[in-house]
């Protein structure tokens, strides 16, 4: 008896998969072209807006209105000139005396509407939004003691922050934009944890990895946690899979679970950057860390993001895990054991303390980078972020050098 095997169904699945992958590549190329066109069009649009604004300001109606109130205009001009400090700083007029009063450093860092409320006698704590509290909590300043990093390390960008003093201990090109690569995933887990409220109550919820997720990781040549298509994993697995092996499959799965799509989740990520006061220098286009011209931040920004994540107990737990085994599934009956290789490789190095948390990243445009949290033998905390190292080990040794020889 002849036995015939029908390969039509398998061939059809392969054909559809190839078509889907090709479609995703074309979509990515189209998105990149669109961004380039928008960047080209932006200067022209900005020019039109400026012209319209100038016309409105200097229109005949405005000029006529100015003529009808010369005394008021003169008063405003006098007030501005009389209250401006000689060094160009910010000052205000105290109604009782008319004398300028300089704002404190803490008030000067706040938006103008909050400064004005504070200066009128209202308690600052009564008007601070959550985002402003976060800016004041997680930000750090350069001081006269901030060291400029020389040839001691090879990473092109670096910052070391003293958490106790909220000061920048050492820096090299810390405020210059770069691509954060997979350090982006620190923001991913932070946003996911905050959006879930109390994430510990939902860690046992399940999520099924889709073909779109596995194809996204494959097309973009991402590192993965190792989940299979149609594998049902826990939300806890997605968190740990995002950080320890830097899994794109886990990160995109977490984004879809939280927001319904990666695009919607990215909006939440950018909103968080605004809350942290980083919107002027940081912006993301994906939750994984893929290179994109519009996906950027500074190493200082990443230090702020890591500090915010450390303040979340569950995020800190995930970022400090050296190894983790995912839940048993049909595809992986014994689970998948994953590791944070940065922590495992740096744990035996002499840093004068312990590197507690860490997340690495790599894309060609930023080379090897890492963000980490360190505690010295007295429990004093520091955050270090470096980028532009030539290898994973170079990145580790640069961070060891900063912790051992630069901290105060």
């Amino acid at each position: 008896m002849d036995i015939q095997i029908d390969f039509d169904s398998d061939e059809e699945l392969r054909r559809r998969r190839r078509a889907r992958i090709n479609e995703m590549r074309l979509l990515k190329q189209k998105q990149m072209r669109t961004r380039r066109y928008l960047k080209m069009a932006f200067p022209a649009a900005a020019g039109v807006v400026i012209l319209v604004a100038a016309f409105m300001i200097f229109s005949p109606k405005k000029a006529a209105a100015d003529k009808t109130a010369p005394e008021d205009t003169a008063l405003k001009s006098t007030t501005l000139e009389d209250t401006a400090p000689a060094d160009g700083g910010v000052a205000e007029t105290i109604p009782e005396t008319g004398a300028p009063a300089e704002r404190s450093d803490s008030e000067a860092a706040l938006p103008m509407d909050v400064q004005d409320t504070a200066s009128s006698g209202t308690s600052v704590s009564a008007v601070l939004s959550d985002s402003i509290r976060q800016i004041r909590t997680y930000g750090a300043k350069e001081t006269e003691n901030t060291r400029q990093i020389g040839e001691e390390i090879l990473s092109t960008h670096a910052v070391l922050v003293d958490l106790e003093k909220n000061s920048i201990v050492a820096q090299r090109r810390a405020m210059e934009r770069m691509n954060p690569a997979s350090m982006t995933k620190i923001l991913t887990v932070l946003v996911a944890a905050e959006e879930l409220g109390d994430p510990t109550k939902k860690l046992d919820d399940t999520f099924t990895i889709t073909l779109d997720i596995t194809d996204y990781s494959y097309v973009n040549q991402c590192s993965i946690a190792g989940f299979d298509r149609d594998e049902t994993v826990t939300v806890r697995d997605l968190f740990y899979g995002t950080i320890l092996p830097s899994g794109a499959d886990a990160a995109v799965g977490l984004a879809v679970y939280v927001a319904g799509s990666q695009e919607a989740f990215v909006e939440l990520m950018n909103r968080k950057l605004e809350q942290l006061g980083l919107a002027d220098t940081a912006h993301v286009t994906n939750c994984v860390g893929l290179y994109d011209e519009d996906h950027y931040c500074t190493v200082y920004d990443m230090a702020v993001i890591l500090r915010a994540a450390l303040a979340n107990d569950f995020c800190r737990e995930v970022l400090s895990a050296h190894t983790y085994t995912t839940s048993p599934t049909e595809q992986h009956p014994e689970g998948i054991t994953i590791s944070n290789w940065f922590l495992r490789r740096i744990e035996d190095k002499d840093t004068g303390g312990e590197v507690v948390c860490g997340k690495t990243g790599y894309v060609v445009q930023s080379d090897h980078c890492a963000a980490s949290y360190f505690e010295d033998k007295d429990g004093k905390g520091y955050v270090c972020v470096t980028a532009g190292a030539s290898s994973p080990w170079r990145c580790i040794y640069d961070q060891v050098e900063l912790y051992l020889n630069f901290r105060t």
Side-chain angles (χ1 to χ4, degrees), residues 155-168:
S155 293
T156 57
H157 300 71
V159 67
L160 179 65
V161 176
D162 182 328
L163 303 190
E164 182 179 291
K165 297 179 180 178
N166 279 336
S167 63
I168 297 176

Side-chain angles (χ1 to χ4, degrees), residues 139 143 193 290 368:
T143 70
L290 299 178
H368 296 272

Side-chain angles (χ1 to χ4, degrees), residues 21-35:
I21 291 174
N22 188 54
E23 181 181 348
M24 292 177 68
R25 286 198 181 103
L26 291 174
L27 178 61
K28 185 176 181 181
Q29 292 172 1
K30 182 179 179 181
Q31 291 173 339
M32 294 296 290
R33 285 197 300 270
T34 301
R35 292 192 183 102

Side-chain angles (χ1 to χ4, degrees), residues 5 15 20 109 136 171 174 204 214 258 278 329 344 354 380-381:
I5 300 176
R15 186 191 67 78
R20 181 186 294 271
R136 298 183 70 192
Q171 70 92 22
D204 292 325
T214 55
V258 171
L278 306 177
T329 64
R344 296 188 67 180
E354 178 187 6
K380 186 175 180 180

